[in-house]
Amino acid sequence: MKASAPGKVILFGEHAVVFGKPAIAAAIDMRIEVDCTPSSITLFNGLPVAQTNTPHAYHALRLSGKSGAEISVRSDIPAGAGLGSSAALAAALTASLNPEMKESEIASTAYKIELLSQKRASPLDTSAVVHGHAIYVSAGGREGTLWSVGNEEVRWEVSHLDIRALPIVIGYTGVPAATGPLVLRVRKMWERFPTVRLAIEEIGTITEEAVKLLPTGDLTALGRLMERNQKLLSVIGVGSPVVDKLLDAVRPLCYGAKLTGAGGGGSIIALTDKQEKVMEAIRQKGGIPYSCSLGAEGIRRVHEVRHTD
Ligand code: PMV
């Protein structure tokens, strides 16, 4: 069965969400498509599956209880760009290997795969790509919880969020960054430095303000919150010169901008109604711009009739 999942951007709250603070993420119109065919051998795009080089496929298959599958994957989400390619892969693999699973089970299984593959994660990315549209994740919860997922420290509740079509441009720095080591670095800084703990608290407060502002469509106020969020991301040590280079270039042309995802490279998002100019500014600094619409559909299955003759 074929299944596809979108990528995502984190609008507010990355890293802080790992510590149980709220975060907001939205699905974007880039997708990954996975096709799994039962087989006695296991191949991932024609290559053998191993825990070391294809951890998502390895764990997805093991969790599904299937003995083997030929897996083919096609993606237009750049890998390591902070745009949810690994969460989308985990979700699409799960939906494809388990045709009977409903959304909430796909979300918790995809989260398990992310945890097993990258060691540390919140369910923010996997929930965003499974549900699609936009989501609010918090340890306190809100009315209308879709599902809750937890580890030994935090139990997160995921709810649907109505967002206006925010005019966002994505700028990929071209420098991929691995999420696991960055999450670990923040944890170590959180243990050592009270300023980092305060910054994490403050990011949570900003996200709470943002969730109230989103329905108003007040881009100026939302942009300001993005800028405050970005400063705090630098305080917790996930900024980088390549990210700053893109942010400095787009800032005069937008309401606000920040990195999105784990940081240390990856991508930025800019809230702007000067889309073309912002895209050009990103290009001039060596980045790759994407004009994206937010609120894409979540996990999608395609039932195929396979002809054997
Ligand atoms: O994998 P990325 O780059 O989309 O970042 C994930 C977001 C973090 O908050 C940094 C980690 C997590 O699991 O929530």
Side-chain angles (χ1 to χ4, degrees):
M1 175 181 279
K2 276 188 190 167
S4 78
K8 63 90 205 75
V9 287
I10 299 173
L11 296 173
F12 293 95
E14 51 273 270
H15 286 290
V17 67
V18 176
F19 298 87
K21 304 297 163 210
I24 299 168
I28 55 176
D29 56 353
M30 294 176 177
R31 299 190 80 84
I32 196 163
E33 189 181 87
V34 170
D35 190 1
C36 295
T37 315
S39 168
S40 54
I41 49 160
T42 298
L43 293 174
F44 185 88
N45 281 349
L47 297 170
V49 167
Q51 188 169 359
T52 43
N53 58 6
T54 39
H56 287 72
Y58 174 86
H59 293 298
L61 208 89
R62 214 176 42 82
L63 290 173
S64 76
K66 307 258 183 321
S67 53
E70 277 185 45
I71 302 165
S72 64
V73 177
R74 195 199 54 76
S75 174
D76 46 37
I77 312 168
L83 300 178
S85 65
S86 83
L89 176 62
L93 278 166
T94 303
S96 175
L97 285 165
N98 307 281
E100 70 300 337
M101 257 191 192
K102 52 184 202 300
E103 256 191 31
S104 58
E105 291 170 295
I106 298 172
S108 65
T109 307
Y111 173 57
K112 268 188 212 139
I113 295 170
E114 282 274 81
L115 260 188
L116 290 164
S117 307
Q118 83 188 24
K119 309 288 180 259
R120 305 153 196 96
S122 80
L124 179 64
D125 285 15
T126 39
S127 291
V129 305
V130 170
H131 180 64
H133 314 283
I135 57 160
Y136 181 75
V137 172
S138 75
R142 263 161 65 94
E143 265 175 48
T145 300
L146 294 165
W147 52 73
S148 74
V149 188
N151 63 19
E152 58 288 341
E153 246 179 58
V154 186
R155 181 126 212 116
W156 293 271
E157 294 187 355
V158 179
S159 52
H160 173 88
L161 199 61
D162 273 321
I163 55 165
R164 292 178 177 235
L166 290 178
I168 289 279
V169 170
I170 297 172
Y172 175 36
T173 58
V175 179
T179 304
L182 282 155
V183 173
L184 178 62
R185 195 162 87 200
V186 174
R187 164 76 57 181
K188 288 194 167 147
M189 288 181 66
W190 181 86
E191 282 163 3
R192 286 185 59 191
F193 303 114
T195 45
V196 169
R197 285 202 284 281
L198 279 175
I200 295 279
E201 290 294 325
E202 180 66 13
I203 292 174
T205 309
I206 288 173
T207 305
E208 279 163 12
E209 283 177 42
V211 82
K212 288 189 210 122
L213 262 178
L214 277 166
T216 70
D218 183 341
L219 300 185
T220 307
L222 279 167
R224 255 188 241 122
L225 286 182
M226 286 168 75
E227 290 294 330
R228 277 175 57 202
N229 194 160
Q230 175 58 30
K231 284 206 178 80
L232 294 161
L233 285 164
S234 296
V235 171
I236 67 171
V238 296
S240 84
V242 272
V243 165
D244 288 343
K245 186 168 73 172
L246 293 194
L247 290 175
D248 291 345
V250 301
R251 203 163 270 130
L253 302 164
C254 61
Y255 296 100
K258 62 182 273 295
L259 66 79
T260 184
S267 296
I268 64 151
I269 48 170
L271 183 63
T272 180
D273 42 26
K274 300 189 178 87
Q275 305 242 333
E276 286 306 322
K277 285 188 176 155
V278 167
M279 288 176 73
E280 188 47 37
I282 291 168
R283 242 179 249 119
Q284 275 182 10
K285 293 290 171 189
I288 304 160
Y290 299 99
S291 148
C292 255
S293 46
L294 303 186
E297 191 190 347
I299 197 84
R300 194 194 286 159
R301 283 193 179 101
V302 183
H303 295 261
E304 271 199 338
V305 180
R306 292 187 202 271
H307 297 282
T308 47
D309 52 353

